[in-house]
Amino acid sequence: MVLPMSSPLSTSTARSLRGIHLFSEMDDASLANFERQCRWRSYARGETLVDKGATSRDVFFITKGSAAAVTFSPAGREVTLGIIRAGDVFGELAAIDDEPRSATVTAMEHSEVGILSAEQFRELLMHDAKVAFRLLQKLAAIIRTTGIRIMELATLQAAQRVYSELLRMAQPDVAVPGLWVVRPLPPMHEIAGLTGTTRETVNRAISQLYGPGLLKRKGRNLFLMDRDRLTEIVQGLQVHHARN
């Protein structure tokens, strides 16, 4: 199977809010109004968008690229809270509760971001019930995923937690029906932070699936060649550990 290469987005496409899930039901005129209100910035890979503890309240919409939200334990261990991808919004918690930033967010690749003030964002939520409901759905999904990760930390071995995380990260490849891809694959230490293990364990767990052909690496992307089989492996291991 030939794996497709993604084509770059134009500046006009990258600086549009149409791909933001929160605005999927908004009409074009209203969307264009919010695009004009946004400040637009480009971030290079490794550049920090916000720092944990900062008192800024802006809300960020990623239209191109991806970023990682991380925090640190009292001992200095980095813990990845989540990966933020194109179409996602972050910073809404500080805009809503007026508290300092709960995580540091760093670009994983070149990213285009629209930035809206907290005041403008709160006004949007007050006047657009569909947007407010979609935000509630997003927050509910975060709570559910957090619960799943807590359960996995208590019941699964490290390698199985890595496989579960890859399944959550993967998205359907628009060019090849049936193929799923993690694009881009986060650095090993970020996956380790998400799964409560070490980067060496993550690298070893992923490498073990290259031989059987379940995974294939191309550049910075990781293709799940048989997502159903990988799901069966994780579910089978969950049952095994539950019985033991």
Side-chain angles (χ1 to χ4, degrees), residues 158-177:
Q160 285 73 61
R161 297 199 299 271
V162 172
Y163 301 152
S164 291
E165 197 62 45
L166 292 178
L167 287 167
R168 280 191 288 270
M169 290 179 180
Q171 299 292 326
D173 191 332
V174 295
V176 182

Side-chain angles (χ1 to χ4, degrees), residues 39-184:
R39 309 189 312 275
W40 292 92
R41 275 203 59 184
S42 298
Y43 291 88
R45 181 181 180 185
E47 190 174 355
T48 298
L49 284 71
V50 298
D51 281 309
K52 180 179 179 179
T55 57
S56 62
R57 301 290 183 264
D58 292 334
V59 179
F60 294 72
F61 306 98
I62 296 188
T63 61
K64 177 185 178 183
S66 57
V70 303
T71 188
F72 296 89
S73 72
R77 178 179 175 181
E78 182 177 307
V79 178
T80 301
L81 301 178
I83 305 300
I84 310 162
R85 303 191 182 281
D88 289 339
V89 55
F90 74 90
E92 71 278 13
L93 294 183
I96 292 171
D97 65 13
D98 210 33
E99 292 292 325
R101 301 291 185 183
S102 59
T104 295
V105 179
T106 304
M108 295 170 55
E109 58 185 324
H110 173 80
S111 300
E112 297 286 345
V113 179
I115 306 171
L116 194 65
S117 72
E119 293 75 18
Q120 291 168 317
F121 184 70
R122 288 197 293 262
E123 183 177 353
L124 168 62
L125 296 180
M126 294 294 185
H127 291 89
D128 194 319
K130 290 182 179 179
V131 172
F133 183 70
R134 282 196 169 272
L135 181 62
L136 288 175
Q137 289 179 312
K138 179 204 176 215
L139 296 176
I142 291 174
I143 293 170
R144 289 182 183 276
T145 300
T146 300
I148 291 171
R149 287 200 177 111
I150 292 172
M151 179 275 295
E152 290 177 348
L153 282 169
T155 62
L156 291 183
Q157 294 181 354
Q160 285 73 61
R161 297 199 299 271
V162 172
Y163 301 152
S164 291
E165 197 62 45
L166 292 178
L167 287 167
R168 280 191 288 270
M169 290 179 180
Q171 299 292 326
D173 191 332
V174 295
V176 182
L179 188 64
W180 290 65
V181 59
V182 179
R183 179 184 286 125

Side-chain angles (χ1 to χ4, degrees), residues 208-226:
Q208 288 174 346
L209 298 186
Y210 290 145
L214 294 179
L215 300 178
K216 185 171 183 178
R217 182 80 178 265
K218 187 172 182 66
R220 296 183 59 222
N221 301 327
L222 184 72
F223 291 84
L224 277 60
M225 309 307 294
D226 192 341

Side-chain angles (χ1 to χ4, degrees), residues 151 154-157 234-244:
M151 179 275 295
T155 62
L156 291 183
Q157 294 181 354
V234 173
Q235 291 175 343
L237 289 167
Q238 286 175 326
V239 172
H240 172 74
H241 291 305
R243 289 174 177 172
N244 290 277

